[in-house]
Each structure stands twice: as C-alpha cells, then as structure tokens.
Amino acid sequence: MYVIMVYDVNVQRVSKVLHIGRRYLTWVQNSVMEGSLTNAQFKRLKSEIRQVIEEDEDSVLFYTIRSPKDVRREEIGIAKGTPSNFV
C-alpha cells in the first residue's frame, strides 16, 4: 500500500517522529512523508509513533492508497524532498 503521513507534534517530539518516519517513508516536505509499505511495516510504523507522541496533544494522520499507481502528485514551487520510491 502507499502511505502518506502528515504530522503536527510538539516541538519536543518532532525529531523523534521524523526519525521513526524516515525508517519507513521518504521525507517530502515539512511534516509530510510518503512511500510504499507492507501491512506489517505500516503496523510497526503506527506502533512506534504511538510510543512517542502524546495523543492528547499531538496529531499524526495516515492516508493509505492501495497502489502507488493510483496516486497523482503535482508540485508547484520549490521541491523540498524527492521521494525515491514514488512511481
């Protein structure tokens, strides 16, 4: 599946969330990551994120798409990240 992760977390936890996310996904823009994951990888990612964030204070959104072929991405302006695994 193709996953887009968007996060808005307390500044004290940003680097931890970014570090976890980069093990699974490609950073594309401030607080946005994307990439292809297996179901098992997706479960591990969510579990690791839950261990770091404060659910009553932070927010992490996951958008899942069945196939990277179903994604259309259009960019305007400066590119902040290049998803190496984007089809």
Side-chain angles (χ1 to χ4, degrees), residues 10-29:
N10 187 293
V11 69
Q12 298 168 337
R13 293 179 287 280
V14 168
S15 64
K16 290 179 183 178
V17 171
L18 176 62
H19 180 72
I20 292 167
R22 281 192 165 173
R23 283 189 285 182
Y24 297 91
L25 302 167
T26 301
W27 175 82
V28 293
Q29 199 170 61

Side-chain angles (χ1 to χ4, degrees), residues 13 53-58:
R13 293 179 287 280
I53 68 166
E54 296 290 332
E55 291 191 28
D56 59 339
E57 189 176 327
D58 302 326

